[in-house]
Amino acid sequence: MRQKLQSLTREELLQWLDLHGEKPFRAHQILNWIYVRMADDFDQMSDLSKPFRQVLAEHFYIGRLAVAQEMVSADATRKFLFRLEDGHTVESVLIPERDHYTLCVSSQVGCAQGCRFCLTGQGGLIRNLTSSEIVGQVWEVRKHLVHPTYLTNLVFMGMGEPLANYNALVQAIQVLTNSDWGMKFATRRVTISTAGLAPRLLDLGRDTRVNPAISFNAVTDDMRSELMPINRKYPIEQLLDTCRRYPLVKGRKLTFEYILFQGLNDHPDQARKLAKLLAPLKAKINLIPFNPYPGSEFQRPSEERIQAFQAVLIAKHFTSVVRYSKGLDIMAACGQLRAQHS
Ligand code: SF4
């Protein structure tokens, strides 16, 4: 049976080439064709001999994710529903910014974390994505774009908890950021959002140079555990201790995300507490007004309330930006992704 070529690591490909009497530089050629020149057929690899291309095609195929559905929002956000080889689906969201695109990538089918405000979490975890399925989302979207180089930023804030699928995540990051044969994304433009898997967060800092973003959302353990069950395992103090020990790349800050829920965590006193908790860290805080969905138990705070919260943080010398999610009308905004079709 033929194997999906992208499921091999570079080291595995090198071993296979060695076994078949081929020189190691062939690995660079093949990977460059797939990830840089976006080839999806061995016959396009014109600097490989025809007999060698045939051998490759006998053993491997170049896998692609099928686009089951593409929706375009009124604000030009595009949501892609990808069908995986086993029939499950995941979503990726392409967000147009002023001068570039950001792609929100999924790391799991479903999610086991069960955050109360998140649609993805409500169906539980179905399975982890493989590294090639994670990379495949980026690859397909890049292939879709008229100006592929405009896609410069990746955020792992789609379906799933990326750090709960750690090995596949790190392998995918290697392919996405390798500047020789990979997809050449700058590590400073790749953000991994976590609900707070503290031990894995330190691993991420050790193994990669991408940016972590911690989904924080509450300033007391009681409330955070209510909103995010993972807090029972890794409570606020442990999470912050991990953040203090995180090996930050020079010149960067840790990002904290704070979803604002009306009447729950949006009081200026809570902003002051948040500032106090994060004061020992090099931190910036993204405020995300909650995006209600049909049947959601939470509401979005008023504009006044959002700005009052932000003003407290700015007065305490934090960089704090309000992130208004895009793609609300096509359920592509933060926390709205769900494998409705799986
Ligand atoms: Fe999982 Fe993230 Fe949703 Fe929490 S917010 S349930 S970690 S996908």
Side-chain angles (χ1 to χ4, degrees):
M1 210 168 71
R2 293 190 309 159
Q3 203 180 348
K4 182 170 163 183
L5 194 129
Q6 300 101 309
S7 67
L8 267 62
T9 61
R10 184 171 171 276
E11 289 63 38
E12 287 166 342
L13 180 58
L14 283 165
Q15 278 168 17
W16 185 89
L17 290 166
D18 187 40
L19 220 69
H20 288 78
E22 290 289 340
K23 294 272 188 306
F25 74 89
R26 296 281 179 219
H28 183 279
Q29 283 179 306
I30 295 166
L31 296 174
N32 195 269
W33 271 108
I34 295 175
Y35 296 122
V36 182
R37 301 169 87 166
M38 309 294 287
D40 62 356
D41 190 323
F42 294 114
D43 277 338
Q44 294 164 4
M45 302 183 180
S46 53
D47 52 2
L48 304 182
S49 71
K50 206 167 177 196
F52 181 48
R53 294 197 311 249
Q54 275 167 358
V55 174
L56 282 174
E58 278 161 24
H59 289 83
F60 302 108
Y61 65 94
I62 300 173
R64 293 194 54 173
L65 301 186
V67 181
Q69 193 182 26
E70 186 185 339
M71 293 170 82
V72 184
S73 154
D75 63 21
T77 298
R78 285 157 78 178
K79 182 164 82 170
F80 295 84
L81 181 78
F82 291 115
R83 191 168 303 285
L84 309 173
E85 285 182 1
D86 64 359
H88 288 307
T89 54
V90 288
E91 294 172 339
S92 315
V93 179
L94 183 70
I95 306 154
E97 317 265 9
R98 199 165 42 84
D99 56 358
H100 69 273
Y101 288 110
T102 296
L103 185 69
C104 181
V105 181
S106 293
S107 55
Q108 298 181 306
V109 184
C111 183
Q113 306 305 324
C115 302
R116 248 174 75 191
F117 48 82
C118 172
L119 267 179
T120 306
Q122 291 180 8
L125 175 68
I126 296 171
R127 72 167 172 86
N128 280 330
L129 293 185
T130 63
S131 155
S132 66
E133 288 168 337
I134 296 172
V135 174
Q137 297 166 63
V138 184
W139 194 96
E140 289 297 338
V141 171
R142 190 179 256 186
K143 190 96 174 158
H144 255 70
L145 290 174
V146 180
H147 300 292
T149 53
Y150 288 6
L151 174 54
T152 53
N153 290 38
L154 303 176
V155 291
F156 282 70
M157 294 182 189
M159 296 162 61
E161 161 57 56
L163 297 187
N165 184 15
Y166 189 76
N167 293 342
L169 173 76
V170 170
Q171 203 180 316
I173 290 170
Q174 278 163 8
V175 175
L176 293 168
T177 62
N178 185 284
S179 58
D180 184 15
W181 49 265
M183 293 186 78
K184 304 185 194 312
F185 283 89
T187 54
R188 69 176 190 287
R189 295 183 182 273
V190 178
T191 300
I192 310 296
S193 177
T194 178
L197 264 73
R200 281 304 195 193
L201 190 57
L202 281 183
D203 292 342
L204 187 76
R206 186 196 60 211
D207 296 338
T208 76
R209 290 171 62 85
V210 296
N211 303 311
I214 296 105
S215 181
F216 206 64
N217 306 329
V219 293
T220 63
D221 277 323
D222 279 355
M223 188 184 291
R224 195 162 190 274
S225 297
E226 268 299 300
L227 289 172
M228 308 176 74
I230 192 170
N231 192 70
R232 296 196 187 106
K233 202 163 176 195
Y234 305 113
I236 289 176
E237 191 36 52
Q238 188 177 348
L239 183 55
L240 291 179
D241 180 58
T242 303
C243 292
R244 283 192 284 275
R245 291 188 288 131
Y246 189 86
L248 261 184
V249 176
K250 206 169 167 223
R252 296 200 203 160
K253 290 181 173 176
L254 287 168
T255 299
F256 285 80
E257 290 150 8
Y258 192 94
I259 306 175
L260 286 162
F261 303 100
Q262 177 188 293
L264 187 74
N265 66 350
D266 61 343
H267 194 281
D269 283 347
Q270 288 160 313
R272 278 183 273 278
K273 178 83 190 285
L274 180 63
K276 198 171 171 195
L277 286 172
L278 302 188
L281 299 165
K282 282 189 184 132
K284 60 180 175 186
I285 305 164
N286 288 338
L287 299 175
I288 305 166
F290 177 66
N291 302 305
Y293 49 82
S296 67
E297 59 181 307
F298 304 108
Q299 293 307 316
R300 183 192 187 100
S302 68
E303 210 41 48
E304 265 179 0
R305 194 83 163 170
I306 295 167
Q307 282 175 19
F309 198 96
Q310 183 191 27
V312 171
L313 299 176
I314 290 174
K316 300 274 183 193
H317 310 294
F318 282 96
T319 304
S320 176
V321 177
V322 181
R323 296 245 181 247
Y324 293 96
S325 296
K326 296 187 177 173
L328 288 172
D329 55 333
I330 55 167
M331 296 289 282
C334 279
Q336 291 186 333
L337 301 186
R338 175 163 64 175
Q340 289 158 324
H341 307 260
S342 60

